[in-house]
Amino acid sequence: MTQFISAISLVVPDYDQAISFYVGLMGFDLIEDTELSEDKRWVLVAPPGSTETRLLLAKASNEAQEEVIGEQAGNRVFLFLETYDFDTDFALMERAGVDIIEEPRVESYGKVVVFRDPFGNKWDLIERH
């Protein structure tokens, strides 16, 4: 039996603000945006070319959820975005004003840089060797 993770919930303060960042600035595809109720939507985004795992942008609906926005990984890198063209993607992120929080570096596994989304989540952009 084949299995895969289809979505990871990312708690955000606002659907449209999250779509603006992930789709507008980062170039992710908007896979689905379905209204479920007056204040709840099913919003899936994914990097271009991604065929399995999506981010479910989940608007915080109570105080406990609001408190974890940007802290879902306890201030560690939470999500890992792999690329086949680090230099181009990094340059696009810089031009778009993405919050780069360290200088790019080369590790034993490839090129990497840590960036932060507008909600405080840390990400790695990685190009493996």
Side-chain angles (χ1 to χ4, degrees):
M1 167 174 40
T2 301
Q3 297 180 333
F4 61 92
I5 295 173
S6 64
I8 297 171
S9 291
L10 184 64
V11 181
V12 297
D14 179 80
Y15 293 115
D16 294 325
Q17 183 184 8
I19 291 169
S20 178
F21 175 75
Y22 287 109
V23 176
L25 284 181
M26 293 295 295
F28 284 24
D29 295 326
L30 179 61
I31 306 299
E32 184 176 351
D33 185 355
T34 302
E35 187 174 321
L36 301 176
S37 69
E38 188 175 309
D39 59 349
K40 187 173 182 179
R41 290 157 54 184
W42 183 261
V43 180
L44 292 171
V45 299
S50 180
T51 59
E52 292 180 345
T53 306
R54 277 87 166 93
L55 283 181
L56 173 66
L57 303 178
K59 181 181 174 189
S61 62
N62 59 45
E63 189 175 312
Q65 292 175 13
E66 289 171 359
E67 289 177 5
V68 301
I69 293 172
E71 292 293 329
Q72 288 180 234
N75 203 34
R76 291 184 58 113
V77 170
F78 179 46
L79 298 163
F80 300 81
L81 180 61
E82 290 208 23
T83 180
Y84 294 109
D85 190 350
F86 181 92
D87 295 329
T88 298
D89 288 343
F90 178 70
L92 289 169
M93 290 170 61
E94 279 190 307
R95 281 197 298 276
V98 173
D99 184 14
I100 309 296
I101 59 175
E102 65 175 37
E103 292 298 313
R105 64 185 191 279
V106 177
E107 297 287 349
S108 60
Y109 52 84
K111 288 183 183 179
V112 63
V113 69
V114 179
F115 67 97
R116 186 175 15 239
D117 69 18
F119 317 109
N121 300 294
K122 290 181 182 176
W123 287 70
D124 272 359
L125 174 68
I126 301 172
E127 179 181 1
R128 297 193 183 274
H129 293 304

